[in-house]
């Protein structure tokens, strides 16, 4: 089994963001929530669910840089981009085809594009 | 390892190696679950073959011999690594739970690998490169040369694609029945692209690249053997054979020869017969698709004893059917060529002028020909110039230049 990171790019111009979703018709919003719930339930029933979360927008981000002598805190994301990460799932699937099938369901449920990336395999533990 | 006396023997062995490469690699990939392991082991098997075959003689089943030898080498290597890194070894060997077989299932292995190489998660360029490298047995340098990119670029492209297959776990598997049609169309697109690049090179010194058309036909034939009921595969094979049948007559003195000027007596009758039989099989299946319809168009051309005997109304009908499936301007351009024969160049030119293909050499060449037939020499001359500027193929430039120079005032 391989773990895959399914991420939701949020493009403030076109895709729903946390802010823009506040302004949505509550009925339409409810429909999306129901679809995402259904997707999450399927992941859990299939044993594919590992973890998932929705993120607050980048305006809520603080960037920490402790690579130098004194840690520096910056208000905002590490990269100012038109698109940003809005939410994610970590799922477990036997191969990419299976992961892509889940991504199709998630994309449909959330009405957003989804990027699928494999997580690096765990390094083998040292013997005894 | 090479001795001066043996270059001919070595060339023969390398030829066999190349022909068997796809089968050998596919079998090793299934067994060891890793493309790099498979490629290294196959390379080692070639070294052994170059040493042994000139002495012991070529084995009766060279492909099986190469697969077995490469399999032993891969196992040896993995055992050596096992002593260093037991865990790593265990991970590698998880895939080695299927018995080693050397005949029937080998073809299935190739089919699996085709679907891996042409996976939609890979870029179209990567699909073509991997297919030629892993299934066609072309070297990275040859693949690079075929697509006119520097060898380092091609090497990176192939390495990146192999890493993605490994890291993202793109499976070695023939897709389930429900996905087969979609996934197969990606495979057929890759094979047709390889064929087309050989049939009319987009640039370089060689107008035709026999090794690419030959490779595409070989892989399509293998696919057809595996999936005899997939009619689009049948259609693509028929299409390739009917085009290939005219190869000897397509270039003369460095110039491309158009269909109506080709010496039909030199067309390959055996390939035409085979292509026609495949087209008949498609018609019987009655599930028309893009490649079947293009094959049918070529069947009509190869059926006509002379260019004047061509059944253009049937060709126009076939293009109408094709346009219904694939409403692309290129299909419309080809349909217009048939319309010119049926309704005259004026009607056809009106159709052609509407198409958004101003960067496409064939659009300019078609316009040039229609304008020439209408006696509009100045416009035809400009269109020939535009067509010449839009192609990198010297043989095509030669033909277009001659036509332009033959124009009246």
């Amino acid at each position: 089994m391989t773990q895959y990171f399914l991420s939701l790019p949020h493009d403030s111009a076109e895709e729903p963001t946390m802010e823009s979703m506040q302004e949505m018709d509550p009925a339409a919003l409810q429909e999306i929530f129901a679809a995402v719930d259904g997707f999450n339930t399927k992941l859990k029933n299939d044993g594919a669910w590992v973890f998932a979360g929705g993120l607050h927008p980048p305006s809520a981000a603080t960037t920490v840089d402790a690579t130098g002598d004194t840690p520096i805190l910056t208000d905002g994301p590490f990269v100012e981009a038109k698109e940003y990460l809005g939410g994610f799932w970590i799922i477990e699937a036997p191969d990419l085809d299976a992961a892509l099938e889940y991504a199709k369901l998630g994309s449909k449920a959330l009405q957003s594009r989804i990027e699928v990336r494999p997580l690096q395999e765990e390094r083998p533990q040292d013997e005894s | 390892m090479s001795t001066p006396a043996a270059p001919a023997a070595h060339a023969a062995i390398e030829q066999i190696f190349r022909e068997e490469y796809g089968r050998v690699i596919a079998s090793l990939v299934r067994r060891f679950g890793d493309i790099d392991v498979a490629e290294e082991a196959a390379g080692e098997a070639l070294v052994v073959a170059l040493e042994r075959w000139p002495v012991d003689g070529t084995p009766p089943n060279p492909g099986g011999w190469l697969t077995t030898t490469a399999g032993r080498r891969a196992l040896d290597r993995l055992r050596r690594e096992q002593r260093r890194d037991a865990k790593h070894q265990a991970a590698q060997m998880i895939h080695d739970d299927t018995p080693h077989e050397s005949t029937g299932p080998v073809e299935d292995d190739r089919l699996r690998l085709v679907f891996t190489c042409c996976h939609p998660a890979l870029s179209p360029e990567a699909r073509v490169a991997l297919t030629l490298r892993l299934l066609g047995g072309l070297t990275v340098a040859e693949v690079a040369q075929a697509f006119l990119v520097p060898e380092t670029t091609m090497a990176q492209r192939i390495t990146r694609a192999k890493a993605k297959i490994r890291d993202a776990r793109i499976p070695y598997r023939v897709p389930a029945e429900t996905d087969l049609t979609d996934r197969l169309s990606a495979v057929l697109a890759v094979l047709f692209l390889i064929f087309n690049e050989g049939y009319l090179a987009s640039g370089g010194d060689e107008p035709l690249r026999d090794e690419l058309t030959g490779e595409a036909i070989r892989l399509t034939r293998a696919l057809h053997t595996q999936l005899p009921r997939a009619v689009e595969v049948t259609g693509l094979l028929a299409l390739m054979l009917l085009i290939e049948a005219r190869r000897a007559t397509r270039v003369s003195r460095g110039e491309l020869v158009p269909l109506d000027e080709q010496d039909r007596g030199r067309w390959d009758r055996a390939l035409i017969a085979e292509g026609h039989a495949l087209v008949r099989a498609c018609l019987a299946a009655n599930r028309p698709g893009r490649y079947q319809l293009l094959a049918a168009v070529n069947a009509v051309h190869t059926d006509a004893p002379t260019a004047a005997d061509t059944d253009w109304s049937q060709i126009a009908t076939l293009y109408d059917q094709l346009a219904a499936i694939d409403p692309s301007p290129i299909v419309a351009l080809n349909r217009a060529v048939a319309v010119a024969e049926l309704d005259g160049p004026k009607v056809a030119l009106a159709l052609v002028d509407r198409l958004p293909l101003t960067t496409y050499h064939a659009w300019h060449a078609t316009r040039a020909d229609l304008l020439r037939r209408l006696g509009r020499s100045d416009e035809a001359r400009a269109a020939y110039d535009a067509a010449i500027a839009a192609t990198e193929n010297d043989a095509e430039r030669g033909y277009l230049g001659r036509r332009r120079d033959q124009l009246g005032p």
Side-chain angles (χ1 to χ4, degrees):
Chain A
M1 294 295 254
T2 300
Q3 292 192 336
Y4 293 89
F5 183 69
L6 272 48
S7 56
L8 287 154
H10 276 184
D11 173 344
S12 46
E14 285 182 7
E15 277 153 323
T17 64
M18 287 294 170
E19 294 103 318
S20 73
M21 281 170 86
Q22 310 285 327
E23 294 157 19
M24 277 178 75
D25 170 17
L29 202 58
Q30 209 50 50
E31 211 171 292
I32 291 184
F33 285 154
V36 174
D37 271 351
F39 175 56
N40 288 340
T41 306
K42 178 172 173 52
L43 286 175
K44 285 172 184 162
N45 290 344
D46 290 359
W49 171 277
V50 178
F51 190 69
L55 295 171
H56 284 293
S59 56
T62 310
T63 301
V64 179
D65 184 355
T67 55
D69 291 340
T70 320
I72 299 166
L73 303 187
T74 314
D75 179 16
F78 64 87
V79 56
E80 291 286 354
K82 197 169 77 70
E83 297 188 13
Y84 58 88
L85 186 64
F88 64 89
W89 287 267
I90 293 172
I91 65 163
E92 206 156 49
D95 57 41
L96 184 66
D97 281 355
L100 294 175
E101 285 308 312
Y102 285 122
K104 286 177 200 165
L105 294 174
S107 171
K108 194 152 227 44
L110 255 160
Q111 291 296 300
S112 167
R113 292 168 300 154
I114 284 186
E115 178 187 305
V116 179
R117 275 168 79 179
L119 267 71
Q120 289 183 5
E121 305 275 325
E122 264 183 68
R123 299 218 160 269
Q125 305 291 315
D126 287 336
E127 310 270 326
S128 62
Chain B
M1 68 185 169
S2 57
T3 56
H10 280 191
I13 293 168
E14 275 161 13
Q15 176 69 25
I16 292 173
F17 179 71
R18 182 170 169 144
E19 279 165 15
E20 299 292 339
Y21 193 80
R23 284 191 193 84
V24 175
I25 290 292
S27 168
L28 294 169
V29 165
R30 172 177 57 75
R31 196 163 163 218
F32 297 103
D34 188 293
I35 292 172
D36 287 330
V37 168
E39 286 194 297
E40 274 169 34
E44 287 180 33
L46 173 63
V47 173
V48 180
L50 289 171
E51 282 170 8
R52 298 250 186 93
W53 294 5
V55 182
D56 302 346
T58 304
N61 175 2
W65 188 98
L66 287 165
T67 306
T68 306
T69 306
R72 285 200 196 109
R73 293 284 158 146
L75 268 183
D76 286 348
R77 173 183 294 265
L78 292 172
R79 288 206 182 98
R80 280 199 302 278
E81 285 172 3
Q82 183 175 35
R83 285 195 282 276
R84 283 204 306 271
D85 184 348
K87 283 260 171 149
H88 175 70
Q89 163 64 11
Q92 293 276 15
M93 295 300 289
I94 281 169
H95 301 281
D96 189 21
D97 53 359
T98 42
H100 177 51
E101 293 170 46
S102 59
T103 48
V106 173
E107 287 302 316
D108 286 336
D109 291 341
R110 274 174 97 190
L111 193 58
R112 281 192 196 109
L113 194 57
V114 167
F115 280 103
T116 307
C117 291
C118 298
H119 197 279
L122 300 170
S123 74
E125 296 81 12
R127 293 177 208 166
V128 171
L130 273 183
T131 303
L132 283 174
R133 172 75 198 106
L134 296 178
L135 288 148
L138 271 65
T139 64
V140 174
E142 285 168 327
V143 180
Q145 202 194 0
F147 289 90
L148 308 168
V149 301
E151 192 177 336
T152 48
T153 308
M154 186 54 79
Q156 278 169 3
R157 189 180 290 172
I158 291 176
T159 304
R160 202 181 301 131
K162 287 194 292 190
K164 182 165 185 184
I165 290 173
R166 184 189 61 230
D167 297 338
R169 288 226 177 197
I170 290 179
Y172 307 110
R173 189 172 55 216
V174 176
E177 198 73 38
T178 47
D179 296 333
L180 191 60
T181 308
D182 279 355
R183 292 287 307 280
L184 197 54
S185 72
V187 172
L188 298 181
V190 164
L191 296 175
F192 196 40
L193 204 66
I194 294 170
F195 182 85
N196 274 331
E197 189 55 32
Y199 162 72
L200 184 62
S202 55
D205 300 332
E206 295 292 320
L208 312 181
R209 292 164 181 268
D210 299 348
E211 79 281 8
L212 289 182
T213 51
E215 209 48 63
I217 289 174
R218 202 160 65 81
L219 292 171
T220 308
R221 205 184 270 288
L223 200 60
H224 173 62
T225 308
Q226 286 300 298
L227 301 170
R229 284 165 50 210
V231 276
E232 276 291 86
V233 180
T234 312
L236 181 60
L237 180 58
L239 173 60
M240 288 178 177
L241 295 177
L242 293 174
I243 295 174
E244 181 72 0
R246 309 197 297 260
R247 178 162 55 89
T249 64
R250 285 193 62 243
V251 174
S252 167
R253 292 185 296 277
E255 265 183 29
L256 219 55
V257 183
L259 192 54
D260 59 338
E261 293 177 16
Q262 287 173 11
D263 176 1
R264 296 182 180 223
R266 291 173 55 221
W267 285 356
D268 187 323
R269 285 292 136 196
L271 288 180
I272 289 174
E274 191 186 352
H276 284 188
L278 292 168
V279 169
R280 281 194 295 275
C282 290
L283 289 173
N286 196 23
R287 277 177 286 139
R290 175 175 138 79
Y291 298 113
Q292 297 174 67
L293 289 166
L294 287 171
V297 167
N298 280 277
V300 175
H301 282 306
T302 45
D303 222 15
T306 70
D309 296 320
T310 308
D311 185 347
W312 287 104
S313 70
Q314 207 185 340
I315 289 177
T317 305
L318 289 165
Y319 275 119
D320 282 339
Q321 278 182 272
L322 188 55
I325 302 173
D326 174 12
S328 80
I330 296 195
V331 171
L333 179 67
N334 286 312
R335 182 178 168 277
V337 172
V339 169
E341 302 299 329
L342 293 170
D343 302 329
K346 196 166 178 224
V347 179
L349 184 62
L351 294 173
V352 170
D353 277 342
R354 281 208 295 269
L355 301 172
L357 293 171
T358 53
T359 57
Y360 185 45
H361 63 93
W363 182 77
H364 291 290
T366 306
R367 280 194 79 235
D369 188 55
L370 295 171
L371 289 163
R372 176 186 63 81
R373 287 154 71 178
L374 289 166
R376 291 157 65 175
S377 295
D378 285 345
E379 290 165 275
R381 197 168 286 113
Y384 278 120
D385 286 339
I388 290 166
T391 179
E392 299 283 324
N393 186 300
D394 285 341
E396 192 177 14
R397 285 179 166 175
Y399 159 70
L400 292 166
R402 176 169 62 85
R403 272 297 166 90
R404 179 195 55 198
D405 297 343
Q406 285 168 351
L407 284 171

